[in-house]
């Protein structure tokens, strides 16, 4: 059997993708039932607000907001084992372009309208066939199997009919269509199809009349004339004709498996139409091995693209751009980048640029509280990860290297209860990152060492960053206090309107803001000039 | 809505003031009382209409035509309204059986029987209405009324009613037993598809057990089978119930609309009778859409007349091309009454009603707003001015250009100097936004300053006493009047 996948060009590349050592860094925010807050000497269970990031989520996904993007992208598809495909970040450049081509092809309306209905039909057929296994009577099980298998055959025919006229600009999709075409010409498929269709036609041709009288149920073959409901509608006076919803169709036996009465009716039909039922049974025997495994896999894999594409088009409709990144040797150039997680939750979005030459090892972002520093590195983190998945990324133009490792360290400033213990814990968390993030890794650091003294924090941060870039990793670091920018790092600052505290949420290259830390503090406590005047004036 | 003789779709709604304040400020409750008396439903109908003035000339004249027709055939229309109301009330009693209760679920068949009862009730009413309408000889002027009458004549014709009656009789058989025949073919998973209900109890079929040639009987040997059979019957009856319920609902909506819409016009007829008895002059307002102001002779306050049981003094008023009317003058001089009478007349005119005046000509304003601060809103623990400004800001949220704003003693709650400043600021803002303002005020300083400006856009009215020092309740045009409220009141009460 040949290898068919629209996620990987070859089996070897698929096998490699599952092997991501850095995925073992799990989100520190774990399930609510296991999380406690310590205040003084008392311990309280945490609220439910940390539920989204479960133990399964890699730390990098949780920290950059990719986890909640995935929640949104995969909403309603929890059953599909797609999440693990998203976690398999370490793929090679070939695979990235392979996937980009599939995605580009699916963005064409015609191709989307070709493949997606096909996959839905195959899924529906699978469902119907699965229903057959829940039926209580052999005849009904046969019927479901035949119905499902025939729906699958129809979907295959439909796909081939439409695909012939289209030009498909993706190797993965082309190979799939070719494989389906070859499969549809095998005698196994054509013979099964003919048999199934004959059986279904015979079954659908059966009709019966059901008479219910004084506690008797009488079944006879053939239909009777007359539609009582339609006649009643004609006779009743209605004042306005427009707003009527047509009455519901009569649906008997809503449950999946036939109930006892349904079974009795089926029994009667079986004695009346023995030929049809014999054919049905024969046809059901021919449904083994339907659908083909590679088609079934395709139907699952396509949702990797479809689910992301639907989120992308929702954001595009709001005027937010997405771009297919080009892979570079080391330089990073992003323009108009934004935080996709934030964009899914709020209307107003500020877009930023990011550029690093191949020599520059990273960025240090400073600025006032709530001025968009963390959002900035989150956005960049998201873009690198999505690029590595071969997906379009939330910015106008993107050119970036293919990172091989994704690490993040976002400290929770609120949890600083025991000073020394907290610092030690933080260092313990940083240790494996320092070890593993060698060449080609990306490390996001957010507010390191906020629990210790400013002096300590500066020294430690400089050491950590120096260690990381010395090992060849790229670093994005958000901090309130860093004495000087280490060599080969770039300093960027979140902008505020000069003279006021209005945030612009843009981040540009600028020297480190010395007063940012102090400004943020006095503002937090309401001690700016304006605040003080206002408060004193009010008391008087 | 099945028919619309109120022309509601042309009414302004979004820009109107909060209903409660307009009701209070213009004392509309008194008017409603005269229109509907004890009849709460009619009062509700009238209130709904009064709070949604029309802004469309065509709809307005159509409404006036309907009003004339209803006045001319009052007995017919009040008969129609009573008949409709009785049927709706009767059906509402049955509807009690339809509501699900905590302890049991009503089976569709039972609901179905209730619907049949309701349908019979409506049928009786429709027959009644049809008879009343065909018995009416006179002609109707209004197109809307004509088409309503035509609809009643054709839709509820004797044949249609007989047909429905016959159908209800067939449906009655469901009351006796579950006799029905279904046809179906076989669909997915051997389940019946394309199910059609062929008939209920077959005509002429005996109740005896017997099989036809090709029929096979399924013995209902277990409770499960019996329950399954019941389910089948219920699924088959359900669309029938939907059809039935829809028919009933549409008739009910028609009858309710008849009740509500005729309620307003009959209310107008009642009001007219009441006011005429009091000797109030009534006129049909003359609507001139392009005009810039109101012109009226002997404008009276209908509410005051109803309250006091006699005709109050009438005012002549004309502020064509004036954007601001400033009313100053002595206490108890009829200023507020005048303001109310203008508001009331304009509201009634824009609702397609008559106006209590000898003559009344007006444009159609986009909205009508009142700002009558009262000292009672102190509950929120804010300052009086705070409350007042809050109220005014509520109006600013809603008011649009080409509206009429009535301000009564606005900014009276603060110091004169502040008040003058506020008045200048807000009035200028309103005028510049294209709003016509009638402002009753004691702010002499403000009025005098405005008078001294000699602007052409302001009309100054003042309430004065006659030579004997008695209030005439008649306003005259003239220089603002330093009211010296306190000293006048002092003289009146203490003497001096």
């Amino acid at each position: 059997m040949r290898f068919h996948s629209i996620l990987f060009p070859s089996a070897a590349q698929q096998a490699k993708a599952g092997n991501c050592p850095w995925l073992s860094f799990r989100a520190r925010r774990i399930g609510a039932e296991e999380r406690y807050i310590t205040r003084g000497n008392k311990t309280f269970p945490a609220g439910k607000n940390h539920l989204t990031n479960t133990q399964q989520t890699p730390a990098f996904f949780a920290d950059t907001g990719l986890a909640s993007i995935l929640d949104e992208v995969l909403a309603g598809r929890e059953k599909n084992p797609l999440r693990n495909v998203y976690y398999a970040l370490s793929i090679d450049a070939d695979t990235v372009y392979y996937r980009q081509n599939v995605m580009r092809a699916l963005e064409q309306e015609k191709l989307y309208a070709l493949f997606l209905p096909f996959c839905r039909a195959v899924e529906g057929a699978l469902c119907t066939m699965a229903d057959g296994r829940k039926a209580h009577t052999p005849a009904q099980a046969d019927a479901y199997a035949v119905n499902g298998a025939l729906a699958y055959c129809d979907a295959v025919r439909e796909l081939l009919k439409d695909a012939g006229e289209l030009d498909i600009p993706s190797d993965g999709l082309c190979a799939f269509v070719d494989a389906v075409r070859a499969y549809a010409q095998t005698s196994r498929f054509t013979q099964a199809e003919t048999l199934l269709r004959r059986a279904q036609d015979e079954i659908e041709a059966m009709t019966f009349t059901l008479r219910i009288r004084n506690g008797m149920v009488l079944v006879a073959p053939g239909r009777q004339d007359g539609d009582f409901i339609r006649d009643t509608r004609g006779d009743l006076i209605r004042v306005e004709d427009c707003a009527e919803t047509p009455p519901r169709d009569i649906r008997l036996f809503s449950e999946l498996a036939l109930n006892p009465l349904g079974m009795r009716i089926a029994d009667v039909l079986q004695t009346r139409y023995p030929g049809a039922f014999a054919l049905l049974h024969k046809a059901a025997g021919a449904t083994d091995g339907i659908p083909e495994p590679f088609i079934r896999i395709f139907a699952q894999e396509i949702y990797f693209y479809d689910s992301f594409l639907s989120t992308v088009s929702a954001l595009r409709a709001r005027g937010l751009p997405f771009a297919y990144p080009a892979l570079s040797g080391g330089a990073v150039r992003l323009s108009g980048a934004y935080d996709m997680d934030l964009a899914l939750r709020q209307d107003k979005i500020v877009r930023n640029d990011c550029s690093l030459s191949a020599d520059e090892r990273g960025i240090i972002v400073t600025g006032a509280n709530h001025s968009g520093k963390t959002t900035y590195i989150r956005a960049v983190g998201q873009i690198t990860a999505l690029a590595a998945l071969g997906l379009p990324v939330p910015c106008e133009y993107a050119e970036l290297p293919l990172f091989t490792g994704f690490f993040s360290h976002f400290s929770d400033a609120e949890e600083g209860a025991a000073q020394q213990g907290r610092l030690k814990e933080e260092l313990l968390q940083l240790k494996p990152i320092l070890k593993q993030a060698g060449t080609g890794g990306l490390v996001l650091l957010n507010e390191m060492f906020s629990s210790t003294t400013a002096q300590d924090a500066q020294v430690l941060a400089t050491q950590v960053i120096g260690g990381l870039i010395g090992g060849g990793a790229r670093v994005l670091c958000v901090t309130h206090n860093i004495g000087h920018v280490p060599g080969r790092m770039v300093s960027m600052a979140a902008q505020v309107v000069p003279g006021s505290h209005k945030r612009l949420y843009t981040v540009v290259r600028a020297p480190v803001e010395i007063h940012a830390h102090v400004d943020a503090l006095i503002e937090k406590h309401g001690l700016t000039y304006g605040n003080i005047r206002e408060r004193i004036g009010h008391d008087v | 809505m099945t028919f619309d003789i109120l022309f509601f779709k042309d009414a302004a709604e979004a820009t109107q003031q909060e209903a409660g304040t307009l009701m209070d400020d213009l004392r509309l409750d008194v008017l409603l009382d005269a229109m509907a008396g004890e009849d709460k439903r009619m009062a509700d109908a009238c209130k709904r209409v009064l709070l949604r003035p029309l802004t469309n000339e065509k709809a307005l004249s159509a409404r006036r035509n309907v009003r004339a027709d209803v006045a001319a055939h009052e007995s017919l229309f009040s008969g129609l309204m009573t008949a409709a109301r009785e049927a709706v009330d009767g059906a509402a009693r049955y509807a009690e059986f339809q509501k699900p209760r905590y302890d049991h679920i009503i089976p569709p068949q039972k609901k179905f029987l209730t619907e049949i009862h309701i349908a019979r009730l409506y049928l009786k009413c429709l027959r009644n209405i049809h008879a009343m309408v065909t018995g009416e000889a006179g002609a109707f002027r209004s197109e809307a009324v004509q088409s309503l009458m035509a609809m009643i004549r054709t839709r509820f014709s004797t044949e249609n009613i007989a047909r429905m009656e016959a159908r209800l009789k067939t449906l009655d058989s469901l009351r006796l037993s579950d006799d029905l025949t279904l046809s179906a073919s076989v669909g997915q998973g051997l389940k019946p598809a394309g199910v059609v209900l062929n008939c209920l109890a077959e005509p002429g079929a005996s109740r005896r057990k017997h099989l036809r040639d090709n029929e096979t009987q399924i013995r209902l040997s277990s409770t499960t089978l019996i329950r399954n059979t019941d389910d089948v019957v219920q699924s088959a009856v359900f669309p029938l119930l939907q059809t039935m319920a829809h028919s009933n609902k549409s008739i009910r909506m028609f009858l309710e609309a008849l009740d509500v819409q005729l309620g307003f016009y009959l209310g107008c007829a009642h009001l007219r009778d009441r006011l005429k008895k009091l000797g109030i002059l009534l006129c049909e307002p003359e609507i001139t859409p392009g005009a810039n102001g109101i012109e009226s002779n002997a404008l009276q306050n209908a509410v005051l007349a109803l309250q006091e049981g006699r005709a109050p003094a009438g005012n002549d008023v004309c502020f064509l091309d004036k954007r601001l009317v400033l009313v100053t003058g002595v206490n108890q001089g009829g200023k507020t009454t005048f303001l109310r009478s203008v508001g009331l007349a304009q509201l009634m005119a824009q609702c397609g009603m008559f106006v209590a005046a000898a003559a009344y000509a007006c444009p159609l304003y986009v909205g009508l707003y009142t700002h009558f601060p009262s000292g009672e809103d102190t509950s929120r623990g804010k300052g009086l001015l705070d409350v007042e400004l809050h109220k005014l800001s509520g109006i600013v949220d809603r008011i649009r250009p080409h509206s009429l704003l009535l301000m009564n003693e606005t900014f009276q709650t603060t110091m004169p100097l502040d008040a003058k400043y506020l008045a200048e600021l807000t009035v200028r803002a309103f005028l510049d936004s294209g709003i016509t303002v009638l402002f009753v005020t004691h702010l002499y300083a403000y009025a005098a300053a405005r008078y001294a400006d000699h602007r052409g856009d302001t009309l100054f009215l003042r309430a004065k006493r006659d030579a004997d020092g008695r209030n005439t309740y008649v306003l005259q045009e003239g220089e603002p009047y330093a009211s010296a409220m306190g000293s006048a009141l002092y003289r009146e009460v203490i003497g001096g």
Side-chain angles (χ1 to χ4, degrees):
Chain A
M1 187 66 215
R2 274 196 57 209
F3 176 78
H4 283 289
S5 166
I6 47 171
L7 294 176
F8 297 96
S10 74
Q13 277 149 321
Q14 183 173 29
K16 215 181 93 195
N19 181 21
C20 311
W22 52 270
L23 275 178
S24 59
F25 293 93
R26 296 299 183 188
R28 282 187 310 283
R29 295 172 181 179
I30 50 181
E33 68 277 8
E34 294 166 71
R35 189 168 187 277
Y36 294 90
I37 296 169
T38 308
R39 285 206 188 96
N41 57 357
K42 289 201 172 109
T43 306
F44 306 94
K48 285 189 176 169
N49 47 347
H50 291 287
L51 261 181
T52 47
N53 302 326
T54 56
Q55 219 165 1
Q56 302 306 313
T57 314
F60 187 80
F61 279 70
D63 289 341
T64 53
L66 272 168
S68 62
I69 294 175
L70 286 191
D71 286 343
E72 177 76 24
V73 165
L74 298 177
R77 298 221 170 88
E78 284 78 8
K79 276 188 194 161
N80 213 312
L82 275 175
R83 202 175 270 269
N84 289 327
V85 178
Y86 280 101
Y87 290 163
L89 271 179
S90 75
I91 59 178
D92 51 37
D94 279 351
T95 313
V96 168
Y97 288 126
Y98 185 76
R99 288 186 185 179
Q100 283 187 2
N101 282 336
V102 174
M103 193 67 159
R104 278 208 186 92
L106 288 177
E107 279 198 50
Q108 292 181 24
E109 218 162 282
K110 271 189 185 161
L111 292 179
Y112 186 85
L114 174 68
F115 287 106
L116 261 294
F118 170 71
C119 292
R120 281 188 200 123
V122 170
E123 267 192 356
L126 269 168
C127 260
T128 312
M129 292 179 76
D131 288 349
R133 291 189 276 283
K134 294 176 200 154
H136 302 316
T137 51
Q140 199 194 8
D142 289 349
Y144 272 127
V146 169
N147 292 146
L150 199 59
Y152 158 80
C153 292
D154 288 344
V156 167
R157 291 277 167 222
E158 191 76 6
L159 176 79
L160 291 178
K161 195 183 90 200
D162 296 342
E165 302 147 16
L166 291 170
D167 175 32
I168 302 170
S170 149
D171 295 343
L173 293 173
C174 268
F176 174 73
V177 171
D178 290 343
V180 173
R181 190 171 289 130
Y183 162 68
Q185 281 161 1
T186 55
S187 62
R188 201 160 62 88
F189 178 80
T190 48
Q191 279 171 9
E193 192 190 9
T194 327
L195 185 60
L196 289 168
R197 204 170 297 283
R198 261 179 56 213
Q200 171 127 330
D201 287 349
E202 290 229 358
I203 290 293
E204 279 179 352
M206 293 192 294
T207 54
F208 64 93
T209 305
L210 198 64
R211 212 147 64 88
I212 299 174
R213 284 190 48 121
N214 306 329
M216 285 196 301
V217 177
L218 306 167
V219 185
R223 300 188 77 109
Q224 265 196 20
D225 293 336
D227 186 341
F228 187 76
I229 292 169
R230 194 191 56 211
D231 296 348
T232 305
R233 275 177 76 193
D235 280 352
L236 296 180
I237 292 179
R238 265 159 300 142
V239 181
E240 93 203 274
D241 299 292
C242 50
E244 181 174 4
T245 47
R248 210 169 72 181
D249 290 339
I250 303 176
R251 288 187 55 200
L252 307 182
F253 311 136
S254 51
E255 279 139 47
L256 196 120
L258 284 175
N259 61 18
L261 183 66
M263 286 193 222
R264 297 289 159 89
I265 295 174
D267 288 346
V268 172
L269 289 176
Q270 208 158 356
T271 57
R272 299 278 174 159
Y273 300 96
F277 278 84
L279 189 61
L280 182 69
H281 187 66
K282 194 178 159 203
T287 59
D288 289 343
I290 281 180
E292 270 300 293
F294 82 92
I295 290 181
R296 196 186 298 198
I297 289 170
F298 176 81
Q300 271 179 11
E301 286 182 342
I302 200 154
Y303 284 111
F304 171 75
Y305 298 99
D306 179 40
S307 51
F308 196 75
L309 198 57
S310 59
T311 312
V312 166
S313 28
L315 289 175
R316 271 193 182 143
R318 281 168 44 195
L320 295 170
F322 273 86
Y324 286 95
L327 300 183
S328 73
V332 178
R333 275 184 58 209
L334 306 174
S335 61
Y338 58 94
D339 182 347
M340 189 173 162
D341 180 31
L342 205 60
L344 288 169
R345 283 183 281 117
Q346 73 179 40
D347 284 342
K348 238 187 129 212
I349 287 297
V350 172
R351 309 218 305 254
N352 277 305
D353 294 346
C354 173
S355 77
L356 284 179
S357 70
D359 289 339
E360 289 164 334
R361 302 316 301 168
I363 301 173
I364 293 198
V365 188
T366 50
N369 264 351
H370 295 288
S371 58
K373 302 186 299 291
T374 308
T375 304
Y376 180 74
I377 65 163
R378 273 206 175 119
V380 176
Q382 286 167 16
I383 289 172
T384 54
L386 291 174
L389 282 171
L391 293 167
V393 297
C395 63
E396 254 160 44
Y397 171 81
E399 187 187 327
L400 69 175
L402 194 59
F403 291 102
T404 51
F406 298 83
F407 305 89
S408 65
H409 175 81
F410 280 41
S411 74
D412 276 331
E414 316 95 55
E415 285 180 6
Q419 299 291 322
Q420 194 55 44
R422 180 91 190 98
L423 182 63
K424 193 175 172 193
E425 196 187 315
E426 213 169 334
L427 286 170
L428 282 174
Q429 281 167 4
L430 280 165
K431 190 178 163 195
I433 297 182
L434 275 163
K435 262 189 173 169
Q436 291 194 22
T439 315
L442 175 73
V443 185
L444 307 185
L445 301 170
N446 190 25
E447 316 258 356
M448 275 184 300
F449 310 123
S450 53
S451 55
T452 183
T453 60
Q455 184 62 37
D456 263 2
Q458 272 186 21
V459 172
L460 288 171
T462 316
Q463 274 179 2
V464 167
I465 293 172
L468 285 170
I469 61 180
R474 304 299 270 275
V475 180
L476 298 180
C477 174
V478 165
T479 182
H480 269 318
N481 61 70
I482 185 136
H484 65 280
V485 179
R488 296 203 290 160
M489 292 283 283
V490 174
S491 164
M492 293 183 86
Q495 299 302 104
V496 294
V497 177
S500 92
H501 294 282
K502 192 175 183 312
R503 273 80 167 121
L504 291 171
Y505 303 109
T506 50
V507 178
V508 298
R509 283 197 183 211
V512 174
E513 283 207 25
I514 302 162
H515 298 301
H517 189 50
V518 186
D519 274 351
L521 271 180
I522 61 167
E523 198 181 333
K524 183 176 158 202
H525 295 287
L527 294 174
T528 61
Y529 175 79
N531 284 340
I532 293 170
R533 280 294 303 271
E534 201 177 304
R535 291 165 86 179
I536 293 175
H538 195 72
D539 285 341
V540 172
Chain B
M1 188 103 30
T2 51
F3 68 103
D4 185 16
I5 54 173
L6 284 175
F7 312 101
F8 248 166
K9 57 182 182 294
D10 296 307
E13 189 171 33
T15 65
Q16 290 307 305
Q17 193 172 353
E18 286 163 53
T21 50
L22 195 67
M23 286 285 294
D24 292 345
D25 290 349
L26 295 181
R27 299 276 151 80
L28 291 181
D29 47 335
V30 179
L31 204 66
L32 287 179
D33 190 49
M35 289 174 89
E38 296 290 297
D39 188 340
K40 267 198 83 175
R41 226 178 296 177
M42 192 194 263
D44 279 349
C46 294
K47 183 172 161 184
R48 261 174 60 193
V49 178
L50 277 174
L51 291 178
R52 286 178 68 181
L54 295 176
T55 53
N56 177 325
E57 204 189 346
K58 240 166 125 187
L60 201 56
S61 82
R63 199 185 268 185
R64 282 158 70 164
N65 284 340
V66 177
R67 181 162 57 80
D69 274 340
V70 174
H73 304 85
E74 200 179 326
S75 66
L76 167 69
F77 284 100
S78 80
L80 288 181
M81 192 184 86
T82 320
R85 186 174 290 187
E86 270 171 12
V88 171
D89 286 350
R93 275 198 293 280
Y94 275 116
E96 281 295 305
F97 296 116
Q98 299 276 58
K99 286 185 189 146
R101 289 210 305 264
Y102 66 96
D103 54 349
H104 73 293
I105 298 161
I106 301 165
Q109 274 151 296
K110 195 142 194 181
K111 285 187 186 170
F112 187 66
L113 293 179
T114 317
E115 291 292 350
I116 292 181
H117 279 300
I118 293 176
R120 289 234 158 84
L121 200 75
Y122 285 153
L123 216 50
K124 200 172 126 201
C125 166
L126 293 184
R127 195 184 287 129
N128 223 335
I129 285 178
H130 182 254
M132 273 189 245
V133 168
T134 43
E136 183 73 21
F140 301 99
R141 265 175 52 205
S142 153
E143 273 175 38
V145 175
Q146 280 167 12
S147 70
L148 172 65
M149 294 300 159
M151 188 187 104
I152 291 176
R153 282 197 191 105
T154 53
R155 201 68 73 91
F156 310 144
S157 66
T158 325
E159 305 88 72
N160 281 354
I161 287 184
R163 222 149 54 98
M164 180 155 164
E165 193 114 279
R167 178 57 63 170
L168 290 181
K169 204 156 199 169
T170 339
L171 292 174
D172 260 348
S173 68
L174 266 186
R175 187 205 303 259
L176 303 170
S177 64
D178 302 336
D179 263 13
L180 39 88
T181 308
L182 300 164
S183 288
S185 45
V186 177
Q188 184 146 334
L190 290 188
K191 292 204 281 188
V195 185
V196 173
L197 177 64
N198 296 124
C199 53
L200 298 186
E202 279 172 59
S206 68
R207 321 210 91 250
R208 202 162 50 80
K209 245 185 184 183
H210 76 286
L211 290 181
R212 292 194 201 141
D213 299 343
N214 57 356
E215 276 181 342
T216 315
Q217 185 182 353
I218 293 174
R219 286 191 193 287
L220 300 185
S221 50
S222 71
T223 44
T224 319
L225 280 173
I226 293 173
R227 220 172 29 241
N228 292 158
T229 313
D230 279 348
D231 288 347
V232 169
V233 172
Q234 286 189 6
S235 326
V237 167
F238 189 75
L240 213 51
L241 174 68
Q242 276 185 312
T243 313
M244 197 73 211
H246 180 266
S247 153
N248 280 346
K249 190 179 158 202
S250 84
I251 297 177
R252 193 194 73 221
M253 276 168 69
F254 169 76
L255 294 176
E256 275 175 355
L258 205 62
D259 181 9
V260 168
Q261 302 194 17
L262 289 179
F264 169 70
Y265 291 111
L266 290 168
C268 288
H270 296 167
L271 181 65
R272 185 183 195 101
D273 295 347
R274 277 285 300 276
L275 289 176
K276 276 206 165 148
K277 239 179 241 168
L278 293 172
I280 308 275
L281 289 172
L282 297 179
C283 73
E284 290 294 330
E286 187 186 322
I287 308 286
T288 42
N292 280 327
I294 295 171
E295 185 175 13
S296 175
N297 289 328
L299 177 63
Q300 288 168 313
N301 186 332
V303 164
L304 193 66
L306 290 167
Q307 276 175 322
E308 299 199 339
R310 62 186 172 83
N315 269 307
D316 290 349
V317 62
C318 172
F319 54 94
L320 297 174
D321 301 326
K322 308 274 191 206
R323 304 292 305 286
L324 171 65
V325 178
L326 267 180
V327 186
T328 51
V330 295
N331 243 9
Q332 302 285 311
K335 300 190 301 294
T336 304
T337 301
F338 164 74
L339 199 63
R340 284 211 176 100
S341 70
V342 174
L344 212 51
Q346 188 62 31
L347 190 63
M348 287 166 78
Q350 284 195 230
C351 288
M353 296 169 74
F354 39 79
V355 168
Y360 190 83
C362 64
L364 287 178
Y365 289 109
V366 169
L368 179 65
Y369 299 85
T370 54
H371 186 244
F372 284 40
S374 57
E376 298 147 21
D377 291 355
T378 50
S379 52
R380 274 178 297 175
K382 289 183 179 175
L384 281 176
L385 186 65
D386 193 4
V387 175
E388 201 177 317
L389 291 177
H390 178 78
K391 213 166 157 183
L392 195 65
S393 116
I395 291 178
V396 173
D397 280 344
R398 291 156 177 251
I399 201 163
R400 296 287 164 271
H402 306 294
S403 293
L404 181 65
L405 174 63
L406 309 179
M407 300 206 294
N408 189 26
E409 314 259 6
T410 299
F411 311 125
Q412 212 65 55
T413 47
T414 185
M415 302 309 247
L417 216 60
D418 293 345
K420 180 175 177 242
Y421 170 75
L422 278 170
E424 270 166 4
L425 186 110
T426 51
V427 170
R428 195 172 65 230
F430 282 132
L431 294 183
D432 291 349
S433 323
I435 289 161
T436 305
V437 181
L438 266 66
F439 190 6
V440 165
T441 185
H442 281 302
L443 300 172
Y444 174 72
Y446 169 64
R450 185 124 194 141
Y451 191 77
D453 271 359
H454 291 292
R455 288 202 219 185
D457 62 353
T458 311
L459 174 72
F460 295 90
L461 292 178
R462 54 187 201 162
K464 268 188 99 169
R465 297 175 186 213
D466 59 12
D468 308 336
R470 277 183 319 203
N471 288 344
T472 57
Y473 303 111
V474 173
L475 303 180
Q476 293 166 335
E477 200 173 339
E479 197 181 334
Y481 183 84
S483 51
M485 333 158 40
S487 62
L489 199 64
Y490 184 86
R491 265 205 303 282
E492 190 179 309
V493 177
I494 313 287

